[in-house]
């Protein structure tokens, strides 16, 4: 009898040793808690094993949760490229499914509107969230947990292994943005989409488009067609410029929306308006059209603040813009109005605010707008003057933090950087990261702050390579500031996480700045 039992026993031990050997070989090098995810998740609990994505895997959503279908499709499209697997999207029942990735709605209110839970077991991966936005952010985390070649546009060899464990995560700020200036140099729809994808990968949820400036008017306004026909035809340096038709703008809005990014359009006024003043003579106080401008000076132009036609013009522009912008905000600029006397500037801003509100939108303006009497729903974007931002807070307005000497992605890294400007500061990667929005201005505390935005002005940049060089690697740092709670902050640990992003940047062919301050992993 005893003999009879021993044989399977030895055989079982043998199998266990082989299995142990195989799983050792496959075990990921890092624990889940050591994965260099940016922005850093709030809470990670390690498991002890691995999940391996295989060619028969699928992406599932629970029966009757059809609203998650397109989110699943996004994940399937993303993973099927580099893995070469089909990864069909299908409805599954509550028991989930082995070997797949299942996305499901959760009722866990502690996750908030944008949080998610990611569970990785040896059998399956589940992402749970209370909204599709949360599920989307769970996907972005999952993306960074796979080997870097998951970012490749061509099929790569696996294995596609994840460490097991659990992540629970939600953002600190609800407004996490970047800006792109498409006025100084024009960037076309495909380039803007690529920029949107960069933001989405780091869980940013706002793209502010600086659509008009002295050098170009970039958005079709049907009631004032010469704005783009004439005013869109140049850019800094005298290039041919360009503009978005309303259909193209809607295409950008839809593309962003599918990635949970809100577009905030900016029409800068009363200054930064030379392109409009060149297109319509009647907008000038002297009734004479200006020449198109392709230099880089600021603050020399102004709409005529005491002509009625100016307000008819603004009403038409805001009406058309509001009707194709689903998000709640319209940005009216308001910066650097050096040739508009303050006694004209103040009533101008107050009247423009009423126009924006009449079109059922919330006004945002650069911090100078706080000189005017503002409605408390209006938002001021701090970029230069603390006293302006404080004035806004004193009026009950919320503030977006974009301090130029920390958050301007068009600033040079150091004196040797060939692209960019340096009027505000040189902003190395550590300086871009090492600031806390809620402590930056003594009088402005967490409760006054809507969120964080990193602007990219385009006087010196003309193509995607240039954009990438200034944006990477600073953008992930702004995302970390905006998303991750303070307990994770610290340059010493952040720079290590950032250095480990290098193989991802390489796989995406991103032209990033290889700062000497960062221990890049090759
Ligand atoms: C200041 S920031 C500006 C822009 C320039 C930028 C260049 C702001 C509200 N105005 O007009 O493009 O500096 O860094």
């Amino acid at each position: 009898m005893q003999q009879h039992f021993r044989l399977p026993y030895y055989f079982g031990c043998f199998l266990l040793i082989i299995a142990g050997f195989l799983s050792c070989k496959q075990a990921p090098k890092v624990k889940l808690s050591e994965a260099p995810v940016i922005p850093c998740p709030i809470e990670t609990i390690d498991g002890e094993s691995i999940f391996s994505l295989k060619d028969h895997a699928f992406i599932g959503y629970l029966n009757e949760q059809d609203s998650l279908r397109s989110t699943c499709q996004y994940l399937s499209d993303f993973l099927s490229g580099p893995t070469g697997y089909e990864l069909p999207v299908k409805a599954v029942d509550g028991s989930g499914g082995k070997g797949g990735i299942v996305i499901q709605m959760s009722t866990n209110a502690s996750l908030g509107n944008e949080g998610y839970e990611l569970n990785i077991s040896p059998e399956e991966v589940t992402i749970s969230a209370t909204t599709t936005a949360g599920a989307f952010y769970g996907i972005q985390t999952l993306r960074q947990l796979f080997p870097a070649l998951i970012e490749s546009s061509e099929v790569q060899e696996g294995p596609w292994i994840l460490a097991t464990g659990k992540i629970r995560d939600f953002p600190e700020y609800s407004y996490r943005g970047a800006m792109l200036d498409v006025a100084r140099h024009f960037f076309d729809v495909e380039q803007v989409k690529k920029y949107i994808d960069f933001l989405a990968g780091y869980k940013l949820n706002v793209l502010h488009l600086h659509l008009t400036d002295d050098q170009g008017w970039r958005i079709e306004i049907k009631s004032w067609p010469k704005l783009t026909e004439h005013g869109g035809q140049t850019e800094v340096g005298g290039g041919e410029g360009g503009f978005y038709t309303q259909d193209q703008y809607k295409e950008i809005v839809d593309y962003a929306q599918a990635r949970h990014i809100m577009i905030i359009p900016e029409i800068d006024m009363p200054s930064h308006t030379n392109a409009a003043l060149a297109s319509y003579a009647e907008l000038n106080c002297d009734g004479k059209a200006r020449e198109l401008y392709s230099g880089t000076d600021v603050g020399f132009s102004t709409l005529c603040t005491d002509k009625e036609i100016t307000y008819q013009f603004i009403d038409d522009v805001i009406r058309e813009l509001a009707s194709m912008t689903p998000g709640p905000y319209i940005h009216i600029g308001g910066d650097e109005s050096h040739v508009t006397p303050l006694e004209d500037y103040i009533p101008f801003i107050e009247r423009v605010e009423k126009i924006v509100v009449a079109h059922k939108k919330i006004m945002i303006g650069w911090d100078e707008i706080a000189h005017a009497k503002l409605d408390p729903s209006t938002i001021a974007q701090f970029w230069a003057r603390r006293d302006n931002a404080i004035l806004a807070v004193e009026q009950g307005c919320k503030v977006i933090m974009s301090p130029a000497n920390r958050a301007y992605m068009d600033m040079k890294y150091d004196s040797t950087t060939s692209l960019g400007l340096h009027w505000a500061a040189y902003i190395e990667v550590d300086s871009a990261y090492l600031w806390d929005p809620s402590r930056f201005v003594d009088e402005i505390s967490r409760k006054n702050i809507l969120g964080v935005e990193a602007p990219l002005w385009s006087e010196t940049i003309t193509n995607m390579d240039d954009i990438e060089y200034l944006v990477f690697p600073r953008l992930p740092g702004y995302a970390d500031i905006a998303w991750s709670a303070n307990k994770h902050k610290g340059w010493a640990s952040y720079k290590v996480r950032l250095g480990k992003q290098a193989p991802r940047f390489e796989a995406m062919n991103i032209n990033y700045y290889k700062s000497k301050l960062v221990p890049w992993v090759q």
Side-chain angles (χ1 to χ4, degrees), residues 15 61 73 90 136 142 189 198 223 353 370-371 394 425 484:
L15 280 184
Y61 58 94
Q73 194 59 53
K90 62 180 193 187
F136 185 80
L142 180 63
V189 174
F198 291 153
S223 52
E353 184 190 64
H371 289 292
E394 283 170 358
S484 303

Coordinates of all heavy atoms in Angstrom, one line a residue, residues 15 61 73 90 136 142 189 198 223 353 370-371 394 425 484:
L15 N 7.2 17.7 -10.3 CA 6.4 18.7 -11.0 C 6.5 20.0 -10.4 O 6.7 21.1 -11.0 CB 4.9 18.3 -11.1 CG 4.6 17.3 -12.1 CD1 3.1 17.1 -12.1 CD2 5.0 17.7 -13.5
Y61 N -15.8 43.0 -20.8 CA -16.6 43.9 -19.9 C -17.8 43.1 -19.4 O -18.2 42.1 -20.0 CB -17.1 45.2 -20.6 CG -17.9 44.9 -21.9 CD1 -19.3 44.9 -21.8 CD2 -17.3 44.7 -23.1 CE1 -20.1 44.7 -22.9 CE2 -18.1 44.4 -24.2 CZ -19.4 44.4 -24.1 OH -20.2 44.2 -25.2
Q73 N -12.2 48.4 -26.2 CA -11.7 48.4 -27.6 C -10.4 49.2 -27.7 O -9.5 48.8 -28.3 CB -12.8 49.0 -28.5 CG -12.5 48.8 -30.0 CD -12.4 47.3 -30.4 OE1 -13.3 46.5 -30.1 NE2 -11.3 46.9 -31.0
K90 N -15.2 41.3 -25.6 CA -16.4 40.5 -25.4 C -17.1 40.8 -24.1 O -16.4 41.1 -23.1 CB -16.2 39.0 -25.7 CG -15.2 38.4 -24.7 CD -15.1 36.9 -25.0 CE -14.4 36.2 -23.9 NZ -14.1 34.8 -24.2
F136 N -10.2 54.3 -17.9 CA -9.2 54.7 -18.8 C -7.9 54.9 -18.1 O -6.8 54.5 -18.6 CB -9.7 56.0 -19.5 CG -8.8 56.4 -20.6 CD1 -8.8 55.9 -21.9 CD2 -7.9 57.5 -20.4 CE1 -8.0 56.3 -22.9 CE2 -7.0 57.9 -21.4 CZ -7.1 57.4 -22.6
L142 N -1.8 50.2 -16.4 CA -1.5 48.9 -16.8 C -0.5 48.9 -18.0 O 0.4 48.1 -18.0 CB -2.8 48.2 -17.3 CG -2.7 46.8 -17.9 CD1 -2.3 45.8 -16.8 CD2 -4.1 46.4 -18.4
V189 N -3.8 68.9 -37.5 CA -4.7 68.0 -36.7 C -3.9 66.7 -36.2 O -4.0 66.3 -35.1 CB -5.9 67.6 -37.5 CG1 -6.7 66.5 -36.7 CG2 -6.8 68.8 -37.8
F198 N 0.1 62.0 -25.9 CA 1.1 62.2 -24.9 C 0.5 62.5 -23.5 O 0.8 61.9 -22.5 CB 2.1 63.3 -25.2 CG 3.0 63.0 -26.4 CD1 3.5 64.0 -27.2 CD2 3.4 61.7 -26.7 CE1 4.4 63.8 -28.3 CE2 4.2 61.4 -27.8 CZ 4.7 62.5 -28.6
S223 N -19.0 83.4 -39.2 CA -19.5 84.8 -39.4 C -18.4 85.8 -39.7 O -18.8 87.0 -40.0 CB -20.4 85.1 -38.2 OG -19.6 84.9 -37.0
E353 N -16.6 88.9 -19.9 CA -17.1 87.8 -19.0 C -18.6 87.6 -19.1 O -19.0 86.5 -19.2 CB -16.7 88.2 -17.5 CG -17.1 87.1 -16.5 CD -17.0 87.7 -15.1 OE1 -17.7 88.6 -14.7 OE2 -16.1 87.2 -14.4
A370 N -7.6 89.6 -13.1 CA -8.1 89.8 -11.7 C -8.1 91.3 -11.4 O -8.7 91.7 -10.3 CB -7.2 89.1 -10.7
H371 N -7.6 92.2 -12.2 CA -7.8 93.6 -12.0 C -9.3 94.0 -12.2 O -9.7 95.0 -11.6 CB -7.0 94.4 -13.1 CG -5.5 94.3 -12.8 ND1 -4.9 94.9 -11.7 CD2 -4.5 93.7 -13.5 CE1 -3.6 94.7 -11.7 NE2 -3.3 93.9 -12.8
E394 N -9.0 86.5 -3.7 CA -9.8 87.4 -2.8 C -11.2 87.7 -3.3 O -12.2 88.0 -2.6 CB -9.1 88.8 -2.6 CG -7.9 88.6 -1.6 CD -7.0 89.9 -1.6 OE1 -7.3 90.8 -2.4 OE2 -6.1 89.8 -0.9
A425 N 13.0 81.6 -16.7 CA 14.0 80.8 -16.0 C 14.6 79.8 -16.9 O 14.0 79.6 -18.0 CB 13.4 80.1 -14.8
S484 N -0.5 62.8 -8.1 CA 0.0 62.0 -7.0 C -0.1 62.8 -5.7 O 0.4 64.0 -5.6 CB 1.4 61.5 -7.2 OG 1.4 60.7 -8.4

